[in-house]
Amino acid sequence: MEDSNIIHTCLYNSPCGDLLLGSLGGALCLCDWADKPKRAETDAVLKRLSGADYVMAPSETTRMAAAQLDEYFAGRRMSFDMPLRLFGTEFRRRVWEALLEIPYGAAVSYRDMAERVGRRSAVRAVAAAVGANPVSIFVPCHRVIGSGGRLVGYAGGVEAKRMMLELEKGSGAVIR
């Protein structure tokens, strides 16, 4: 079992860009774009809410996450079976749990996400929660699109979002 006050981190080089993987207590708590503009903010929130510090050293959990990402990007994995530990407000965790219900290959709008979490009029708050997701890909925020099927906002960049939706396209994702 991993230390409960250490977030073990390592870099993962994906076809879409570098990801920072992190685990705490045997669960994945971070899979986030290494070069995203709000990198420091995400790290500060995660450290504060977990009470743990980062150590750049892979763990069994981050190794398993990297292996599952390899399979995903090779088109051989449609779902993940990593233990997750999500740190955020109750509202954000509710949004992230709803993201986990979006099937591989599907894409839903921010308005649909707001309805899924019972906050129909809170589209902007839902969009902010989606954008604050610290466990990208495993919690598939890339499957949330703008109205009319437009690709909008993604921490890894719209091109990364497009690449992953194209990878999953077989189930009907709308990409424009």
Side-chain angles (χ1 to χ4, degrees), residues 34-49:
D35 295 329
K36 81 175 191 178
K38 294 187 177 185
R39 166 89 269 127
E41 181 181 316
T42 299
D43 294 341
V45 169
L46 184 56
K47 289 176 183 180
R48 180 176 52 81
L49 293 178

Side-chain angles (χ1 to χ4, degrees), residues 72 78-79 98-108 113 116 140 142-144 164-165 168-173:
Y72 169 80
M78 295 174 61
S79 63
L99 290 171
L100 290 167
E101 296 172 9
I102 303 171
Y104 181 93
V108 302
M113 284 300 300
R116 287 176 183 227
H142 63 279
R143 295 179 187 154
V144 182
M164 287 184 287
L165 289 174
E168 299 179 9
K169 192 175 182 179
S171 296

Side-chain angles (χ1 to χ4, degrees), residues 19 27-29 38 59 67 72 75 78-79 81 88 92 95 108 112 117 126 135 140 146 154 157 165 176:
L19 292 161
L28 191 68
C29 63
K38 294 187 177 185
S59 66
Y72 169 80
M78 295 174 61
S79 63
D81 55 6
R92 283 183 174 182
V95 170
V108 302
D112 291 338
V117 298
V126 167
V135 191
Y154 186 62
L165 289 174
R176 294 186 182 163

Side-chain angles (χ1 to χ4, degrees), residues 52-130:
D53 286 317
Y54 286 14
V55 171
M56 187 59 96
S59 66
E60 185 57 36
T61 302
T62 59
R63 286 185 196 95
M64 185 167 52
Q68 289 191 19
L69 287 169
D70 285 344
E71 293 170 355
Y72 169 80
F73 285 112
R76 296 190 313 267
R77 178 173 285 275
M78 295 174 61
S79 63
F80 298 101
D81 55 6
M82 293 293 307
L84 300 176
R85 190 148 176 212
L86 303 175
F87 290 96
T89 65
E90 181 181 333
F91 176 73
R92 283 183 174 182
R93 287 193 318 269
R94 190 168 57 192
V95 170
W96 300 336
E97 291 291 331
L99 290 171
L100 290 167
E101 296 172 9
I102 303 171
Y104 181 93
V108 302
S109 71
Y110 287 100
R111 185 168 311 286
D112 291 338
M113 284 300 300
E115 289 180 18
R116 287 176 183 227
V117 298
R119 299 282 304 271
R120 190 175 193 169
S121 63
V123 174
R124 288 182 188 202
V126 167
V130 170

